[in-house]
Amino acid sequence: MKYIDEFRDGDVARTLAHKIAAVAQASRNYSFMEFCGGHTHAISRYGLSDLLPPNVRMVHGPGCPVCVLPIGRVDMAIELALNRGVILCTYGDTLRVPASQGLSLMKAKARGGDIRMVYSTLDALQIARDNPQREVVFFAIGFETTTPPTALAIQQADQEQLSNFSVLCCHVLTPAAISTILESPEVRQWGTVPIDGFIGPAHVSTVIGSQPYEFFAEEYRKPVVIAGFEPLDVMQAILMLVRQVNEGRAEVENEFSRAVTREGNVKAQDRVAEVFELRRAFEWRGLSVVPYSALKVRAKYGTFDAERRFQLDYRSVPDNKACECGAILRGVKRPQDCKIFGTVCTPENPVGSCMVSSEGACAAHYSYGRYKDMNG
């Protein structure tokens, strides 16, 4: 299959592995954070860590939008479905994120909530058209990748005067999360999470471009390589990062040039800017409250903002005490460091958010890495 098979070629992967081993200096250690869950999934699925020399280590980052969704936000959606009588629409992975009192959206649905999985915002709009007597709320999550469709849905609803449609907006921003990680005590003060560079998220960069990452490279002296999600993309990105570290460079390089430009999709950016504005603060699971890291609906489209329409108040809820998702999302711990990983917490019964989506570090390691741990 064109553009797929050629990026999964085992011989090329081994060639890249030899190149990485050749340029990685034996006297130093390299620690790179793959920000995006798609990269985490690829690394686990294709066993890429086994192809790297011992002194090149990958650190999982918080780039899974389902994983960073805090319990309090899921509770707001459950409140709408169970107590406000709305039809709640959302993407599939969101249904299983653990919330308060042992609930999730899936379990709330079993209790009688009208909760529907949709594949796109167009589906949610159609449900609103088909049910004019019911309030329909789209529970919108995701990074910059999924934000433009939400903006278009709000504009479409405004154009059609679809007064029974609104959005519970939980869209978050990648650059703010990277800044928070680089400013964290584990990275900046204590050095317990060494980060020598980042593999930048591909899908996000198709929207925002590679330019926003130039700040991190310059300010923090950390190289960034934007990479696709196929195994050879990731291996090539690691090689590019090792070379940058060796040469003392800290630049933004674009491995995913077949889809990403420096400017990104300007039309999509304009739509997002027209509909949304920055929140002053937003809680991320694992990162606590991060200033200016998420979006809310502008006053111009306020009638389509579910938080305003239903006068919802956000309440922070602590994670399960046994769950290490917060530390895993910050790169402080690995999935196998969690005492309940693979026993109490499994993809069928997730205790933490990292076990929900296939892009979550725990779910990826459960699917592809746990047997290696047993044998190791």
Side-chain angles (χ1 to χ4, degrees):
M1 188 186 299
K2 190 165 177 60
Y3 302 127
I4 295 291
D5 290 347
E6 58 263 52
F7 291 97
R8 297 179 181 177
D9 188 305
D11 291 335
V12 179
R14 281 184 284 274
T15 299
L16 284 169
H18 289 313
K19 287 184 178 180
I20 293 168
V23 300
Q25 299 170 3
S27 60
R28 71 189 309 166
N29 291 313
Y30 304 81
S31 186
F32 303 124
M33 175 174 278
E34 85 276 359
F35 182 89
C36 189
H39 294 135
T40 301
H41 183 83
I43 290 166
S44 293
R45 179 180 178 186
Y46 297 103
L48 301 188
S49 296
D50 295 338
L51 296 175
L52 301 176
N55 60 335
V56 177
R57 174 175 170 258
M58 301 307 298
V59 180
H60 304 318
C64 161
V66 171
C67 303
V68 299
L69 192 63
I71 289 174
R73 291 280 160 186
V74 188
D75 284 351
M76 289 167 81
I78 290 173
E79 160 72 15
L80 288 173
L82 287 185
N83 301 327
R84 306 293 184 95
V86 311
I87 299 174
L88 188 86
C89 303
T90 192
Y91 298 128
D93 279 349
T94 317
L95 295 175
R96 299 173 57 245
V97 178
S100 296
Q101 300 173 336
L103 279 175
S104 64
L105 286 171
M106 187 81 80
K107 291 175 181 175
K109 180 179 175 70
R111 289 192 181 183
D114 194 344
I115 299 168
R116 308 185 190 184
M117 185 189 84
V118 295
Y119 291 101
S120 74
T121 53
L122 296 176
D123 295 341
L125 284 170
Q126 191 57 49
I127 289 169
R129 294 186 196 104
D130 294 342
N131 296 271
Q133 305 307 314
R134 300 277 306 278
E135 288 282 347
V136 175
V137 177
F138 177 62
F139 186 24
I141 74 155
F143 293 107
E144 291 90 340
T145 317
T146 53
T147 307
T150 306
L152 284 170
I154 289 173
Q155 289 183 322
Q156 185 70 30
D158 183 45
Q159 188 177 326
E160 294 181 27
Q161 297 184 327
L162 206 57
S163 60
N164 65 326
F165 177 82
S166 60
V167 169
L168 178 57
C169 182
C170 296
H171 285 300
V172 289
L173 304 172
T174 308
I178 293 178
S179 286
T180 299
I181 290 168
L182 289 171
E183 291 287 353
S184 69
E186 294 97 345
V187 174
R188 190 144 196 169
Q189 291 168 249
W190 307 329
T192 50
V193 181
I195 297 177
D196 298 306
F198 287 91
I199 297 182
H203 291 162
V204 164
S205 301
T206 61
V207 176
I208 68 172
S210 61
Q211 186 176 5
Y213 302 102
E214 292 171 6
F215 168 79
F216 307 112
E218 193 173 323
E219 180 75 12
Y220 296 98
R221 301 299 301 161
K222 303 291 184 187
V224 179
V225 175
I226 310 296
F229 293 124
E230 294 301 326
L232 297 190
D233 287 318
V234 178
M235 293 294 286
Q236 178 65 30
I238 293 169
L239 176 61
M240 293 164 74
L241 285 169
V242 171
R243 284 176 171 160
Q244 281 209 53
V245 171
N246 288 351
E247 295 165 15
R249 291 185 293 120
E251 301 169 6
V252 177
E253 293 183 320
N254 181 13
E255 184 277 337
F256 200 44
S257 57
R258 61 190 187 274
V260 170
T261 63
R262 183 172 182 268
E263 295 76 24
N265 187 329
V266 177
K267 283 186 178 180
Q269 293 169 28
D270 289 344
R271 287 296 179 100
V272 169
E274 189 178 334
V275 175
F276 297 110
E277 63 185 353
L278 284 171
R279 291 181 186 266
R280 286 183 177 274
F282 191 86
E283 184 181 11
W284 293 53
R285 196 181 293 234
L287 300 184
S288 191
V289 175
V290 181
Y292 301 106
S293 65
L295 299 174
K296 65 177 180 179
V297 181
R298 286 189 182 275
K300 176 183 176 182
Y301 295 99
T303 184
F304 301 104
D305 182 355
E307 288 182 68
R308 297 185 198 190
R309 180 175 294 193
F310 297 98
Q311 298 181 323
L312 297 173
D313 290 321
Y314 178 74
R315 290 192 304 275
S316 179
V317 180
D319 281 338
N320 186 303
K321 288 182 179 179
C323 175
E324 297 283 9
C325 274
I328 291 165
L329 289 167
R330 297 194 308 276
V332 176
K333 292 190 175 183
R334 302 170 303 165
Q336 56 268 45
D337 296 329
C338 180
K339 292 179 181 177
I340 61 174
F341 170 80
T343 53
V344 176
C345 184
T346 65
E348 292 75 31
N349 180 45
V351 175
S353 58
C354 298
M355 192 60 95
V356 175
S357 167
S358 63
E359 292 189 356
C362 293
H365 191 72
Y366 184 90
S367 297
Y368 304 111
R370 72 187 195 279
Y371 298 114
K372 187 175 70 175
D373 290 342
M374 294 174 188
N375 296 328

